[in-house]
């Protein structure tokens, strides 16, 4: 880091810096560190805000082990995760490859802009519009099916436990307006032109190029996206809350909604704090694990 | 077009291996363009379809909605927007207020701290910075419950303040991390010259660093606005007064109030989207940097 380099021997401590940092750390102490620590601490209590809260040890965590809804919610985000890193990456990858294979700079710009334009809309609008798309009577999906004579296929997509989760995951199709697309695209732009030329000389086809050049070049970014997908999926909740509230019949239950229900419906604040703590620990394990793996990988690559 | 392709073909970087006929390359290029363009058009249309439908339906009355479901209808009913504005404008106003105060608060707490971390050496620097960066690992959902209880104890539930505070703290953490990186990259010589001229730390921060750091300040501001426009659960849980709702929770409420009032419903969605659309149009570079903020901090 470029610091102010004082000659050794007569370095003075710039006391002013602590004064500068004081308000920042004071604010973070109250509104960031305290809540995080308070959540972990109170997960060991029967937390009744405003009243006496008896210490119960690990009881909340024991309750969690037997909480079928909690485990069902993990099954659901497991499915969402697999979907998020396969189908939801294939389309962005395809789009990025196609954009890069366009010959004119202007066409690339036009398509890139059109493809990412949905990102300019608030996420909540996207979800509400898809909620409308699935409307059993007036929604786009069923209207389209009826228009092409497939009336029999029309169904209550988010009201039916069998289709609700799939419908939820299909929100935003084809998912090109997304971070993965931006990442894939900039990764492809960074592949040196000489490598492609060399591949062409060797007679490598399009698929071979994708497999042997593009994907290895993206590996680092893909790892990062993978970690971000895990973290995002652990926090998944807004779409489910708007469209299904975790229903029908808990078919779209996710950990965040389970945690909120524990606090605000069952007023079991200690249990909610325990669930939040578990989500934190999982996030931490994934982040730190990725950090260590990345560091190790980087060292090997350099060696 | 032909000229351009020929010119490209002549370029060693973009063209094929030298020696191959330019004509073959040209037709192949055009065929690739056509096929790629066709697939990309389908993808772009599929992605934009819900929004196109929203725009078309936002100027229909219910009769027109059912009669010409797929096509735009005439005459257009701009009155839907007046109806929607009545209900959505308080959410927009609150969102602007929350975003504005959050940006000011974030910059106040983050920029000077980032400057200090980037350009001073002092005992505990790495430890303190590590403490800040560690907060990046705490997901918002973990703090949701205890933060709610804290706000309840402070008796500020159902105010605009309760919405502003978490955005300030969250973005301060993110802001310190990316601003520090940015500020550390600015050449030391610039500051050396100022120091020779007798400028102190405060002077250097205000008249040198802040102007130089404008791009990263813009990114932090954009991330803050995006955060306000995307944070759903916190306003949902902490405010009951309708006009204190920001866009996400407000719009979800609005949707429940306007079931099957298709025109006003979609007009409301459109109005709620306008601020981000405008930012995307005029600040697209910062906007995208804001969306990729997670990646920036991840690296």
């Amino acid at each position: 880091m470029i610091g102010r380099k004082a000659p050794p021997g007569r370095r003075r401590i710039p006391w002013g810096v602590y004064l500068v940092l004081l308000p920042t750390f004071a604010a973070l102490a109250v509104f960031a560190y305290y809540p995080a620590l308070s959540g972990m601490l109170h997960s060991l209590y029967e937390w009744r805000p405003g009243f006496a809260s008896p210490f119960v040890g690990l009881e909340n965590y024991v309750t969690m082990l037997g909480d079928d809804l909690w485990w069902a919610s993990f099954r659901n985000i497991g499915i969402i995760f697999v979907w998020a890193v396969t189908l939801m990456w294939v389309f962005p990858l395809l789009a990025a490859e196609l954009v890069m294979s366009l010959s004119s700079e202007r066409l690339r710009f036009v398509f890139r802009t059109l493809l990412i334009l949905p990102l300019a809309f608030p996420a909540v609008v996207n979800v509400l519009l898809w909620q409308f798309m699935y409307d059993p009577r007036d929604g786009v999906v069923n209207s389209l099916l009826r228009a092409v004579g497939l009336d029999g296929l029309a169904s209550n997509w988010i009201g039916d436990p069998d289709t609700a989760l799939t419908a939820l995951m299909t929100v935003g199709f084809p998912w090109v307006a997304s971070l993965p697309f931006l990442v894939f695209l900039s990764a492809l732009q960074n592949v040196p032109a000489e490598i492609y030329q060399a591949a062409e000389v060797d007679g490598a086809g399009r698929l071979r190029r994708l497999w042997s050049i593009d994907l290895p070049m993206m590996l680092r970014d893909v790892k990062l996206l993978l970690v971000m997908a895990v973290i995002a999926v652990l926090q998944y909740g807004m779409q489910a809350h708007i469209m299904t509230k975790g229903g029908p019949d808990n078919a779209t239950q996710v950990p965040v909604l389970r945690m909120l229900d524990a606090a605000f419906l069952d007023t079991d604040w200690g249990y909610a704090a325990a669930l939040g703590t578990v989500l934190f620990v999982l996030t931490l394990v994934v982040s730190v694990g990725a950090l260590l793996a990345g560091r190790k990988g980087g060292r090997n690559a350099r060696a | 077009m032909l000229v351009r392709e020929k010119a490209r073909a002549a370029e060693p970087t973009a063209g094929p291996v030298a020696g191959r006929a330019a004509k073959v390359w040209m037709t192949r290029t055009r065929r690739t363009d056509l096929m790629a363009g066709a697939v990309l058009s389908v993808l772009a249309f599929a992605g934009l379809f819900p929004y196109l439908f929203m725009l078309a339906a936002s100027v229909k009355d219910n009769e027109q909605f059912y009669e010409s479901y797929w096509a735009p209808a005439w005459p257009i009913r701009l009155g839907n927007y007046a109806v929607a504005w009545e209900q959505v404008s308080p959410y927009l106003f609150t969102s602007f207020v929350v975003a504005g105060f959050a940006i000011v608060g974030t910059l106040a707490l983050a920029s000077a701290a980032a400057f200090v971390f980037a350009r001073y050496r002092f005992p505990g620097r790495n430890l303190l910075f590590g403490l800040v960066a560690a907060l990046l690992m705490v997901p918002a959902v973990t703090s949701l419950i205890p933060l709610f209880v804290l706000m309840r104890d402070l008796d500020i539930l159902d105010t605009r303040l309760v919405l502003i505070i978490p955005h300030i703290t969250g973005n301060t953490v993110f802001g310190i991390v990316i601003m520090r990186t940015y500020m550390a990259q600015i050449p030391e010589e610039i500051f050396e010259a100022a120091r020779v001229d007798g400028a102190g730390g405060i002077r250097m921060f205000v008249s040198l660093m802040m102007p130089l750091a404008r791009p990263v300040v813009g990114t932090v501001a954009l991330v803050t606005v995006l955060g306000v426009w995307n944070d759903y659960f916190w306003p949902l849980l902490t405010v009951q007064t309708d006009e204190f709702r920001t866009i996400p929770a407000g719009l979800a409420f609005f949707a429940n109030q306007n079931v099957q009032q298709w025109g006003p419903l979609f007009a409301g969605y459109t109005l709620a989207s306008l601020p981000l659309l405008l930012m995307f149009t005029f600040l697209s570079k910062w906007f995208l940097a804001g969306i990729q903020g997670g990646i920036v901090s991840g690296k």
Side-chain angles (χ1 to χ4, degrees):
Chain A
M1 284 298 107
I2 310 164
R4 171 148 47 170
K5 289 191 198 94
R10 56 185 192 95
R11 180 190 287 179
R12 291 183 300 116
I13 295 174
W15 293 106
V17 300
Y18 297 107
L19 209 61
V20 172
L21 293 175
L22 185 65
T24 305
F25 274 92
L28 292 182
V30 178
F31 295 109
Y33 296 115
Y34 170 73
L37 296 174
S38 153
M40 285 178 232
L41 186 68
H42 282 103
S43 72
L44 304 173
Y45 287 77
E46 188 193 328
W47 195 9
R48 293 180 298 174
F51 301 96
S53 307
F55 180 81
V56 295
L58 293 174
E59 198 182 293
N60 288 320
Y61 293 96
V62 174
T63 310
M64 182 193 76
L65 290 178
D67 184 344
D68 291 341
L69 265 185
W70 177 249
W71 297 115
S73 75
F74 270 89
R75 187 194 68 111
N76 287 340
I77 59 167
I79 296 171
I80 295 172
F81 173 75
V82 171
W83 180 290
V85 300
T86 51
L87 270 180
M88 289 175 76
W89 282 4
V90 166
F91 288 94
L93 182 60
L94 173 73
E97 286 282 348
L98 289 176
V99 166
M100 290 313 289
S101 65
L102 291 169
S103 65
S104 98
E105 198 61 48
R106 190 187 298 169
L107 268 182
R108 280 186 206 178
F109 177 78
V110 168
F111 274 114
R112 178 179 164 276
T113 307
L114 285 176
L115 287 166
I116 61 175
L117 189 56
L119 270 178
F121 289 85
V124 69
V125 169
N126 183 37
V127 174
L128 288 169
L129 285 174
W130 276 84
Q131 187 180 31
F132 159 74
M133 306 255 283
Y134 290 133
D135 189 284
R137 197 169 65 105
D138 300 325
V140 167
V141 176
N142 283 351
S143 298
L144 191 65
L145 289 172
R146 289 190 198 109
V148 297
L150 292 168
D151 299 51
L153 285 180
S155 78
N156 186 0
W157 300 104
I158 49 177
D160 182 340
D162 291 335
T163 53
L165 190 62
T166 312
L168 211 56
M169 294 188 297
T170 310
V171 167
F173 178 85
W175 314 291
V176 177
S178 60
L179 190 60
F181 174 69
L182 293 172
V183 170
F184 293 148
L185 195 62
S186 66
L188 287 182
Q189 278 165 344
N190 288 336
V191 177
E194 297 82 49
I195 296 188
Y196 284 149
Q197 280 160 28
E200 200 161 346
V201 171
D202 291 347
R206 202 71 188 70
L207 276 177
R208 183 68 209 268
R209 200 180 96 180
L210 171 71
W211 190 249
S212 309
I213 302 177
D214 295 350
L215 290 182
M217 291 295 262
M218 282 183 215
L219 197 60
R220 197 186 123 97
D221 299 293
V222 168
K223 275 188 201 152
L224 196 63
L225 284 175
L226 207 58
V227 175
M228 291 176 77
V230 179
I231 294 171
V233 96
L234 284 170
Q235 308 205 45
Y236 183 94
M238 185 260 277
Q239 303 181 356
H241 189 268
I242 289 179
M243 295 178 71
T244 62
K245 301 272 192 293
D249 200 18
N250 291 307
T252 58
Q253 189 60 260
V254 290
V256 171
L257 294 187
R258 180 74 195 99
M259 180 187 84
L260 292 178
D261 282 351
F264 289 90
L265 283 183
D266 310 340
T267 60
D268 201 344
W269 294 84
Y271 185 49
L275 299 186
T277 304
V278 169
L279 289 179
F280 168 57
V281 171
L282 289 175
T283 309
L284 198 67
V285 167
V286 173
S287 312
V288 172
L291 211 66
L292 293 178
R295 193 168 289 171
K296 207 165 149 198
R299 210 175 287 147
N300 288 346
R302 237 170 284 141
Chain B
M1 201 63 209
L2 279 173
V3 178
R4 177 174 304 170
E5 274 167 15
K6 221 174 266 174
R8 281 188 71 87
E11 283 166 19
T13 47
V17 189
R20 206 168 289 179
K23 209 173 176 186
V24 176
W25 171 251
M26 249 167 55
T27 51
R28 208 173 68 186
T29 309
R30 188 170 310 147
R31 213 174 49 214
T32 314
D33 273 358
L34 267 176
M35 271 169 49
V39 178
L40 287 171
S41 300
V42 172
L43 287 175
F45 179 76
L48 286 169
F49 177 80
Y51 305 101
L52 296 172
F53 192 96
M54 167 185 87
L55 284 178
S58 73
V59 288
K60 294 175 187 171
D61 60 27
N62 262 5
E63 203 177 316
Q64 291 169 322
F65 176 84
Y66 288 114
E67 261 172 25
S68 74
Y69 185 82
W70 298 107
W74 191 260
I76 59 169
R77 313 283 183 188
L78 282 177
N80 290 338
Y81 278 86
V83 176
W85 175 252
E86 197 111 312
Q87 299 174 63
V88 173
S89 57
Y91 308 145
L92 280 169
F93 177 73
T94 300
S95 299
F96 280 124
V97 170
V98 170
F101 278 97
I103 289 172
V104 172
T106 299
L107 291 178
L109 291 180
S111 57
F115 176 66
V116 161
F117 278 127
R119 310 213 72 98
Y120 286 86
R121 279 162 184 273
F122 52 92
R125 185 180 77 152
N126 290 339
L127 174 73
L128 290 173
F129 183 74
L131 278 175
V132 173
L135 284 174
L136 281 177
M137 304 263 187
V138 183
V141 291
T142 295
S143 307
L144 205 59
I145 302 292
L147 196 59
F148 178 88
V149 174
L150 174 65
M151 296 306 189
R152 197 198 71 108
D153 293 343
L154 294 174
D155 203 20
I156 53 172
L157 288 180
D158 205 18
T159 60
R160 290 198 176 97
L161 183 63
V162 80
L163 300 177
I164 296 170
I165 290 172
H167 285 291
I168 294 183
T169 43
N171 288 309
T172 294
V173 173
F174 166 74
I176 289 176
V177 172
I178 69 160
M179 288 169 103
R180 168 185 169 271
T181 309
Y182 188 92
M183 290 173 169
Q185 284 164 351
I186 293 172
E188 176 68 12
E189 289 76 46
I190 299 176
F191 295 88
E192 210 53 68
R195 204 168 291 133
V196 169
D197 290 346
I202 298 173
R203 180 73 197 279
M204 277 193 276
F205 172 67
V206 174
S207 12
L208 258 182
M209 186 50 96
M210 284 319 275
L212 287 172
R214 214 178 286 155
V216 75
V217 168
T219 302
V220 172
L222 245 302
V223 169
T224 309
V225 176
L226 287 174
V228 173
W229 249 264
N230 284 321
D231 183 18
Y232 174 72
F233 284 114
W234 185 249
L236 188 79
L237 298 171
T238 53
V239 296
Q240 276 84 48
T241 307
D242 189 41
E243 61 188 45
F244 288 169
R245 291 193 170 105
T246 49
I247 285 292
L251 214 59
F253 180 76
F254 167 82
N256 286 328
Q257 298 300 106
N258 289 275
V259 174
Q260 304 206 332
Q261 302 292 308
W262 302 116
L265 184 75
F266 290 123
Y269 294 175
T270 310
L271 287 173
S273 308
L274 277 182
L276 291 197
L277 268 179
L278 289 174
M279 288 196 315
F280 179 80
T281 310
F282 295 106
L283 304 166
S284 74
K285 213 167 131 192
W286 282 352
F287 191 94
L288 291 176
I291 288 174
Q292 295 187 34
I295 286 275
V296 175
S297 64
K299 278 181 182 171

